[in-house]
Amino acid sequence: MKHINLSVEEGTVTAFVGPSGSGKTTLLRTLNLLQLPSTGSIKVADKTVDAPHISKGDIKALRKYSAMVFQQFNLFKNMTVQQNVAAPLILNGLATRQAAKQQALEILDSVGLSDVVDQYPITLSGGQQQRVSIARAIAVKPKVILLDEPTSALDPELVESVLNTIADLAKQHITMVLVTHEMQFAKQIAQNAVFIENGEIVDQGPATQLLSGQDNGRISSFVNSLSHNS
């Protein structure tokens, strides 16, 4: 990644779009220091870190404000759904074990998963597992949720339930940064979009305008290629 200059307003959704291998996931992972930048600075809420002098304390402090939803769910296989959602609350000292279990039940109910709280991830569909991942992310009340192509590992018929869950979060004005190839969805829920190619930001602006491709021939051809492939 190079020449990145980006700000995300609290309470908004920003979509990172662009061809595969363009650097979208790298940039997303840099925002919570899963990928360490070599230069520049990152600020989330009131915490700023400056590369290349980033300490373990800096990483811990910055990650306190964000939660990540991965493509492959990353759930604890030996824990029930309820335990998966309660775990970060307990591990981060945000709630007692009993309070964390109660909060997990409430969050799972809010994403339509109250009927699977005692099941293990292996018994769930991919869509259900991804919604558990999202529930786990919102449990810690982060300043920003980072979602890395959350529907890319799902069968087409399971995608809608996950997109609906993300759309519900957007209505609650939860700050999100989303890497996605779902252009129509991005236009519906994102206030802003960032088009990334070859490790650089080619263009950024209001999602409905940018993703229409009217102002940029490269973006237009990219969006059209996705519509022809779908």
Side-chain angles (χ1 to χ4, degrees):
M1 304 301 300
K2 50 196 173 185
H3 312 306
I4 298 297
N5 187 4
L6 175 70
S7 62
V8 174
E9 189 176 339
E10 186 176 1
T12 64
V13 179
T14 298
F16 287 176
V17 300
S20 296
S22 60
K24 304 182 299 295
T25 292
T26 299
L27 179 55
L28 190 78
R29 290 168 63 87
T30 302
L31 297 181
N32 76 341
L33 302 178
L34 285 172
Q35 193 100 17
L36 293 178
S38 54
T39 59
S41 63
I42 299 168
K43 181 180 181 182
V44 180
D46 60 3
K47 177 61 182 177
T48 302
V49 299
D50 295 299
H53 309 293
I54 297 175
S55 67
K56 288 182 179 178
D58 287 333
I59 294 172
K60 184 176 180 181
L62 193 78
R63 286 184 187 165
K64 182 176 70 173
Y65 292 124
S66 66
M68 188 106 176
V69 176
F70 299 89
Q71 296 177 32
Q72 299 295 340
F73 323 137
N74 286 7
L75 298 174
F76 299 114
K77 295 177 182 178
N78 62 336
M79 291 186 181
T80 65
V81 166
Q82 181 188 22
Q83 289 168 337
N84 263 281
V85 176
L89 292 167
I90 298 165
L91 293 172
N92 291 302
L94 299 174
T96 63
R97 187 171 296 274
Q98 193 56 42
K101 288 169 66 176
Q102 183 57 40
Q103 287 178 46
L105 290 178
E106 292 167 4
I107 293 164
L108 287 163
D109 184 53
S110 74
V111 298
L113 291 173
S114 56
D115 55 338
V116 299
V117 295
D118 293 323
Q119 292 181 220
Y120 288 86
I122 196 171
T123 68
L124 305 181
S125 70
Q128 288 173 316
Q129 289 186 64
Q130 191 59 293
R131 284 155 63 203
V132 174
S133 297
I134 293 169
R136 183 175 62 183
I138 62 177
V140 295
K141 296 183 172 62
K143 295 290 186 184
V144 58
I145 298 178
L146 310 172
L147 302 105
D148 184 15
E149 297 199 42
T151 60
S152 67
L154 302 178
D155 293 332
E157 66 268 22
L158 301 176
V159 168
E160 188 177 1
S161 65
V162 174
L163 294 183
N164 287 340
T165 300
I166 297 169
D168 287 342
L169 297 183
K171 290 173 188 171
Q172 298 170 43
H173 303 292
I174 292 174
T175 310
M176 289 185 281
V177 180
L178 168 73
V179 172
T180 184
H181 280 104
E182 303 277 352
M183 293 299 106
Q184 203 54 43
F185 178 69
K187 282 200 278 189
Q188 286 170 7
I189 74 153
Q191 284 78 25
N192 301 295
V194 181
F195 187 86
I196 300 168
E197 189 167 34
N198 298 323
E200 295 187 82
I201 292 177
V202 174
D203 204 354
Q204 57 183 307
T208 49
Q209 182 180 330
L210 188 83
L211 299 179
S212 70
Q214 293 174 1
D215 301 329
N216 187 305
R218 173 65 190 104
I219 297 175
S220 177
S221 67
F222 171 74
V223 172
N224 289 337
S225 73
L226 288 182
S227 350
H228 293 148
N229 290 335
S230 59

